[in-house]
Amino acid sequence: MPEAWIGFNSRDRQRYWWRTGILTLALVGVMVALSLTTHEPGKWWWVGGVGAFSVVVLLSTINSICGQVLLTTTGLEFRTFASRRVVPWSEVARIEERHRVSRSGTWSDLRVIRAHGRSLTIPGTLTNRVMDAELERKQAVIQERWSLAIGG
């Protein structure tokens, strides 16, 4: 069984980079507006808070965009911007699709539900498309590899 990568294709990666750039510019604009329009002595706490929030959002988004999972015969190798992790197939209880509703629509991604420990979001599976064929393909590949690995 050859190894397989799960992650964003180049078109989706570029689309998320544009969204990240626009969000970053908006947050920088809020910081600049706060620093120029507020004359209170505590304004730097607000500017610093928005700045810290911006850095957290930016790093989380970069982690999601750059992250991939390598499906091997032994398990899933998570490779993200911030970390590396291996989850053996024997620890996987199920693979599920998660839906979250926000003002910008319904977002879906895939999660590895582990028998012991917390569940993990699979990088490169986030989408806001309804009935996304690419997400379904990724889920089918993961399910197939998991089934073959555990002999079921």
Side-chain angles (χ1 to χ4, degrees), residues 68-85:
Q68 294 181 321
V69 173
L70 178 63
L71 306 176
T72 66
T73 56
T74 58
L76 300 103
E77 293 182 16
F78 288 77
R79 298 181 181 183
T80 63
F81 178 72
S83 68
R84 302 276 190 265
R85 173 181 289 198

Side-chain angles (χ1 to χ4, degrees), residues 4 6 10 21 24 31 53 58 64-66 73 95 104 125 127 129 139 149 152:
I6 300 294
S10 60
T24 303
M31 285 176 30
F53 175 74
L58 182 63
S64 176
I65 293 170
C66 296
T73 56
I95 307 295
S104 60
T125 61
T127 184
R129 295 185 198 112
Q139 186 172 14

Side-chain angles (χ1 to χ4, degrees), residues 42-60:
K43 77 176 178 180
W44 296 111
W45 285 104
W46 284 102
V47 173
V50 171
F53 175 74
S54 301
V55 169
V56 168
V57 168
L58 182 63
L59 290 177
S60 173

